[in-house]
Amino acid sequence: MTGTVGTGAAGAVLTDLRDEGDELEALVAGLEAKAWALPTPAPNWTVAHQIAHLTWTDGQSLTAATDEAAFQREVEKAMAAPDRFVDEGAEEGATLAPGELLERWREGRSALLRTLADQPEGRRIPWYGPPMSVAGMATARLMETWAHGEDVADALGVRRARTVRLRHVARIGVRARDFAYAAHGLTPPAAPFRVELTGTDGEPWVYGPEDAAERVTGDAVEFCLLVTQRVHRDDTGLRAEGAEAGRWLDIAQAFAGPPGAGRASGSGSGPEPGSASEGESA
């Protein structure tokens, strides 16, 4: 797929979401069937589980955007089995033949992109966390596509290029700060933090007021891996100034739902030495 998806700020994110999905599809499209059964860093999840989960979540996003009553029923199912509903969606899809799963994922991605591009300005889409704008939904989908793509790449022994699309992941990680606190039953700090990252383009990616007392600095790729819980904090060079900034790095998550177990120290998909690589409510 080429060209721009939609217009305005949402269109820019949708275009990057499309490109992120296309890049991951190119990684798995030519795999032999046995490669789909390779284990990934996520416990009990194979490559097929990872793609099946993205397929399922794209489907949930499409339902949320097109049928709020039906999506509310999905939320009720999730509340009844909070520790199982995500795994069940992945397990069901992983039983499909690789070619069928790939086609379902491709069709679901295309349908979601078209639907989000057609949404009216100002639309808020319900989700498992706070309702999201169209740009917020697209950002969350890009974040998850990238994060699960990291798991797939790890399983295949592939080092993917670190693109400027990670700016969206960094942004949602910063904006989800208060959600991460709440997910752990903690009261978020009243004062904003300053986050200064070295971006994949070599430029500074900066968030929050310059005079903030609490600060996080470091590499943007490591920050994105941390907030998607693809690396342990100890395996990054991220630095925190202030007790609350330090606490945040221990609990950060950019996705909706309960806190994940995270990765053990030494087991994450951290960037190569010297490399620069669903609770959002925008």
Side-chain angles (χ1 to χ4, degrees), residues 43 229-232 259-264 267:
Q229 296 191 357
R230 262 58 190 180
V231 71
H232 192 278
R263 300 284 164 84
S267 65

Side-chain angles (χ1 to χ4, degrees), residues 132-209:
M132 293 186 285
S133 66
V134 173
M137 174 68 81
T139 300
R141 298 306 311 128
L142 189 154
M143 174 270 295
E144 193 168 26
T145 302
W146 176 78
H148 288 282
E150 285 296 286
D151 291 343
V152 171
D154 279 354
L156 300 177
V158 173
R159 177 64 60 175
R160 300 193 298 168
R162 307 311 198 179
T163 74
V164 293
R165 294 191 297 268
L166 282 175
R167 185 186 292 274
H168 302 299
V169 182
R171 179 177 179 271
I172 196 174
V174 171
R175 291 179 66 86
R177 186 202 72 169
D178 289 0
F179 176 83
Y181 273 84
H184 284 81
L186 301 171
T187 301
F193 294 171
R194 174 76 165 183
V195 178
E196 299 178 352
L197 306 172
T198 301
T200 57
D201 53 3
E203 297 296 320
W205 296 357
V206 180
Y207 312 88

